[in-house]
Amino acid sequence: MAFPEEIDIERPSPIEQLQVAFAVYIAREIVAADGILDIDEMRLLMLVFPDRLMRNCRFLGPDTRLTEAYHRAYVEAVRVLPIILDTEQKLELVTLFHRTCVVDGELHPKELTVLRNAAKTLDIAAPVLKRHLTSLHGSLTRLKA
């Protein structure tokens, strides 16, 4: 099952919920990394993480703030995802993070740092990450993994 396209928005599985929590956290870090709030970045986040999905995960409160359940899920995701996801699933997350990085047409070095740190958290080997990023967008990824 490809993440995030194939999530059952009405009933995300516990593993999908952990992936959503981790991905939301990293995507928000990427958006904030360059210090510029770009409308295309915001559109991507709303498309990938619609309110309905976030509410069904119990990650979004009535005031549209992230809930304590979201924060707990993120902590659990950091602990569990590196162990239970296979390499392909981890790289699906990296692909989402890369899309978030380049949606505004450039890859800021601070965004790449966030992406690399996320890959490290997921326990993706540096050569695997480098190959994957090069295959995604070699001209924008000045890699020295």
Side-chain angles (χ1 to χ4, degrees):
M1 180 178 293
F3 181 86
E5 291 84 7
E6 294 185 15
I7 290 178
D8 178 353
I9 289 178
E10 298 305 320
R11 288 184 310 247
S13 73
I15 299 304
E16 289 170 337
Q17 290 182 39
L18 293 180
Q19 288 176 289
V20 167
F22 184 74
V24 165
Y25 181 88
I26 299 302
R28 291 180 63 190
E29 290 289 307
I30 289 168
V31 167
D34 65 3
I36 300 168
L37 184 59
D38 183 271
I39 192 68
D40 290 330
E41 291 171 334
M42 295 308 298
R43 280 190 198 126
L44 177 63
L45 292 180
M46 290 186 307
L47 178 67
V48 175
F49 306 111
D51 280 2
R52 199 162 96 214
L53 170 63
M54 296 295 287
R55 289 188 195 287
N56 288 336
C57 290
R58 299 174 328 278
F59 294 164
L60 198 60
D63 58 359
T64 67
R65 291 182 192 210
L66 294 172
T67 64
E68 185 60 34
Y70 159 78
H71 295 288
R72 283 193 310 269
Y74 170 73
V75 170
E76 182 73 3
V78 168
R79 188 180 70 74
V80 171
L81 294 181
I83 298 166
I84 63 171
L85 296 182
D86 62 30
T87 301
E88 183 178 325
Q89 292 169 311
K90 293 174 184 181
L91 292 176
E92 287 171 359
L93 285 166
V94 168
T95 299
L96 173 62
F97 303 150
H98 184 267
R99 285 191 345 219
T100 306
C101 287
V102 300
V103 71
D104 61 359
E106 63 181 341
L107 179 60
H108 192 279
K110 289 181 180 178
E111 293 172 336
L112 184 57
T113 297
V114 172
L115 186 152
R116 283 186 172 144
N117 288 339
K120 186 182 242 182
T121 298
L122 291 171
D123 199 26
I124 299 172
V128 172
L129 176 64
K130 183 176 182 176
R131 255 190 325 276
H132 185 67
L133 290 178
T134 300
S135 74
L136 291 175
H137 213 164
S139 64
L140 287 179
T141 54
R142 293 166 276 140
L143 299 173
K144 297 177 186 164

